[in-house]
């Protein structure tokens, strides 16, 4: 039971933040976060932020995926 | 949609699938996705169809609706039948059949049952309807349990006395341990990404040390899941199981400390009944005595009808990965999403519903 | 009785407005007749006397219950006229006459009623359909949710052959006139309990002009259907039905607005099954596909038209979706309504 969506913080008021994904906004509770700033991306589950998304790690993952795609491209061109 | 779209790229997904083929070769591998949200996502993106035939994905017990026993539904229905009561629930629970009724049928009979997206919405209802009792149906694993704990915490801090929770929350590690202790044909586990966001990857270490098996914590986008499967294929083919984390952008070693602290403050571990599986020690969460005025099970004295389990239903075996939905004689015949018999068909993330809907 | 008296802020529908007496007359004259005014309706007979052209007719009926009654992009009145016009349009018929029956809850505000009726009149005029007969019933408070509308509509066929799915053949191309799931998600996010703020507007719009243009440009068009309740997936499943072909569509080609996609992600809803109120699915022969697409894209109701798939010889009776990542999955009929989920 774990549907959670990355949303960006637009406004913070005490324990509540207005977050946005693709133009859909909602107020979520951010009491579980250690720190949160406007512009941060957070993972939202059932109206609560359960984690701030680690930008560096996200970039690393995308790099890893790109590398795999590159290997696959090279494999394909080797075969052809 | 940042952090979504980039993980749904066609070229990258196929590249990883090719890598999986290269690593797995002809070796047969059985991999269980523990979490129901993974089951749904795998089906939605057609992940099974781009994997080689020798990789067999099976669905585990991580759909909270599916493992919620009939008795709980019967209790919720009894509460719904009280006067001046509004039952709030996640949409997932509304069609689940109890012994003789369901929340959907009760709503049709005129009981006030509302679908909410968050416990915060239920609290708002409680503030706006002070003459009514608002009862929230607390189901879900460690991802959802903190949001329910938070609602009890807020209700207690703001003295909202007409709010309570009927709690059937469960935790994943004891179920994983029970699975591993009983069955050994599973070569690897895709571990739940958002449960792990809360509990942290370290939570699995004791289980892994006792039963070393290939493990990878995965996110829910296609590239996330494929990358985790690739990791598992590498581990399985090399015979070198690891506790790997493929979802590092939100899963850390220790998880969400604040959420865990709140869970611990509001709830205590208890034995819990899992539909089809039975009792698993320390696998449930119960509201601590200190907060018993928010525990709907203690606050209201209702008569619960006698529990009847559906005949012929093999949900239990499906939940533990022992059979596939098609092996159940009810699947697609008597049991369909519009007339579900077992809980695996009721929840949209249930294995049977996903198999029925996406034909995988 | 003048309109301002009827529609001041406090006035509400009472049981007397459905009683058939003076108040009923006031309601009919003050609101319905004044907005819908046309020679046939103004005769105020027990039945409308209409002239029927010497041709084939299309005849449809539908009922409208929507919550909330006013939603971003429309209201129940606009929905009722568009729905009726569209059912006729995709059957290849030009809407000419319609009737409207109103079931109104005691206590309903006049102001809201008038606003609904006014939007019906506006769309009806724009579509060239006359509302020629109507009925009003008032039910006790609690016996209906604000207002329900039932309509019937008659249209004159502008195509030579009735459009049935049995005319569809292997190789035909499937086109949609724009983004899916906007209506259903606009409605869902406007409902209480979900407290979301979205920019999503219903796509509620009449498709009569688009359908007629398309049929004129592509006379050998095989099939049209408006993808309402059950969404695009349901229309395609119905189209394959018992027929001797399959359908394959490409998820990445299906127009979906970012805001709508985001709301679907958040609530765990599959946009393929979400209702539309201004979406036309057309099946045309492959050699007419370009003309059809260009015709649709040059029409105001079809600017975002896309070819989303084709009719296949294999997978008979099945709808296959090529997913975002290029894999395939089966699309089946929806069982029950889609509910927001967090799982």
């Amino acid at each position: 039971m774990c549907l959670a969506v990355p949303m960006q913080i637009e406004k913070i008021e005490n324990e509540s933040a207005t977050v946005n994904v693709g133009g859909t906004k909602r107020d979520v509770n951010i009491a579980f976060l250690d720190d949160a700033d406007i512009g941060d991306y957070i993972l939202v589950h059932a109206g609560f932020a359960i984690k701030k998304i680690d930008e560096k790690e996200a970039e690393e993952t995308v790099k890893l995926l790109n590398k795999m795609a590159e290997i696959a491209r090279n494999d394909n061109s080797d075969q052809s | 949609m940042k952090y979504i779209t980039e993980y749904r790229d066609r070229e990258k997904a196929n590249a990883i699938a090719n890598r999986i083929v290269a690593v797995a070769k002809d070796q047969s591998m059985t991999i269980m996705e523990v979490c129901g949200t993974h089951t749904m996502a795998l089906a939605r993106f057609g992940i099974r169809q781009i994997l080689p035939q020798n990789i067999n994905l099976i669905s585990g017990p991580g759909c909270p609706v599916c493992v919620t026993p009939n008795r709980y539904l019967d209790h919720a229905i009894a509460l719904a039948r009280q006067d001046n009561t509004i039952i709030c629930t996640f949409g997932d629970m509304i069609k689940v059949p109890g012994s003789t009724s369901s929340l959907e049928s009760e709503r049709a009979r005129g009981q006030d049952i509302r679908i909410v997206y968050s416990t915060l919405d239920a609290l708002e209802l409680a503030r706006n309807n002070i003459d009514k009792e608002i009862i929230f149906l607390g189901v879900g694993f460690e991802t959802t349990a903190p949001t329910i704990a938070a609602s009890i915490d807020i209700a207690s801090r703001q003295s909202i006395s007409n709010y309570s929770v009927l709690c059937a929350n469960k935790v994943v590690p004891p179920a994983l341990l029970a699975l591993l202790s009983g069955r050994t044909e599973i070569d690897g586990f895709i571990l739940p990404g958002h449960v792990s966001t809360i509990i942290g990857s370290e939570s699995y270490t004791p289980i892994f040390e006792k039963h070393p098996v290939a493990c990878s914590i995965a996110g829910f986008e296609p590239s996330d899941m494929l990358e985790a499967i690739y990791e598992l294929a590498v581990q399985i083919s090399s015979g070198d199981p690891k506790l790997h984390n493929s979802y590092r952008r939100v899963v850390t070693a220790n998880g969400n400390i604040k959420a865990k602290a709140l869970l611990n403050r509001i709830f205590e571990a208890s034995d819990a009944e899992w539909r089809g599986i039975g009792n698993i020690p320390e696998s449930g969460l119960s509201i601590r005595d200190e907060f018993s005025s928010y525990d709907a099970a203690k606050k209201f004295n209702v008569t619960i009808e006698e529990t009847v389990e559906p005949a012929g239903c093999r949900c239990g075996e499906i939940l533990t990965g022992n059979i596939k939905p098609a092996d159940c004689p009810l699947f697609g015949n008597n049991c369909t999403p519009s007339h579900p018999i077992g809980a695996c068909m009721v929840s949209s993330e249930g294995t049977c519903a996903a198999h029925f809907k996406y034909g995988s | 009785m003048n309109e301002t008296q009827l529609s001041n802020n406090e006035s509400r529908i009472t049981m007397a407005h459905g009683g058939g007496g003076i108040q009923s007359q006031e309601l009919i004259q003050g609101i319905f007749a004044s907005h819908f005014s046309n020679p046939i309706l103004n005769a105020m007979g027990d039945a409308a006397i209409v002239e029927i052209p010497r041709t084939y007719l299309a005849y449809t009926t539908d009922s409208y219950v929507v919550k909330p009654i006013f939603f971003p992009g429309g209201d129940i009145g606009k929905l009722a006229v568009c729905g009726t016009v569209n059912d006729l349009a995709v059957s290849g018929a030009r809407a000419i006459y319609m009737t409207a029956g109103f079931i109104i809850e005691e206590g309903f505000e006049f102001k809201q009623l008038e606003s609904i009726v006014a939007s019906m009149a506006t769309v009806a005029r724009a579509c060239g359909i006359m509302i020629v007969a109507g009925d009003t019933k008032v039910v006790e408070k609690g016996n209906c949710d604000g207002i329900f509308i039932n309509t019937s509509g008659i249209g004159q066929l502008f195509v030579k052959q009735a459009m049935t799915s049995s005319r569809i053949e292997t190789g035909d191309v499937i086109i949609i006139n724009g983004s899916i799931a906007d209506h259903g998600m606009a409605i869902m996010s406007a409902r209480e309990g979900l407290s979301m703020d979205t920019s999503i507007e219903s796509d509620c719009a009449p498709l009569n002009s688009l359908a007629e243009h398309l049929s004129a440009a592509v006379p050998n068009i095989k099939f049209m259907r408006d993808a309402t309740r059950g969404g695009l997936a349901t229309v395609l499943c119905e189209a394959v039905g018992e027929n001797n072909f399959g359908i394959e569509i490409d998820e990445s080609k299906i127009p979906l607005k970012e805001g709508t996609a985001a709301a679907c992600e958040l609530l765990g809803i599959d946009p393929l099954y979400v209702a539309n109120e201004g979406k036309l699915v057309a099946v045309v022969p492959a050699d007419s596909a370009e003309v059809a697409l260009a015709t649709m894209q040059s029409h105001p109701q079809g600017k975002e038209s896309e070819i989303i798939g084709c009719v296949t010889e294999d997978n008979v009776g099945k709808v296959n979706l090529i997913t975002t990542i290029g894999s395939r999955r089966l699309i089946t009929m929806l069982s029950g309504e889609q509910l927001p989920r967090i799982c």
Side-chain angles (χ1 to χ4, degrees), chain C residues 90-126:
Chain C
V90 295
S91 308
R94 187 179 306 129
I96 43 181
Y97 303 122
M98 70 176 281
T99 67
F102 297 81
I103 295 165
I104 311 173
E105 187 183 15
E106 181 187 15
F108 194 69
E109 282 179 26
F110 261 97
K111 208 177 139 196
Q112 294 201 338
L113 178 63
E114 180 149 30
S115 169
I116 290 163
V117 169
S119 80
M120 287 179 80
T122 307
V123 190
R125 230 158 259 141

Side-chain angles (χ1 to χ4, degrees), chain B residues 227-255:
Chain B
E227 205 249 322
I229 294 167
Y230 167 74
E231 273 301 328
L232 292 173
V234 170
Q235 292 178 30
I236 296 164
S237 66
S238 64
D240 182 18
K242 288 191 177 71
L243 179 49
H244 182 265
N245 178 8
S246 295
Y247 199 28
R248 292 177 298 277
R249 63 185 183 275
V250 290
V251 178
T252 58
N254 297 317

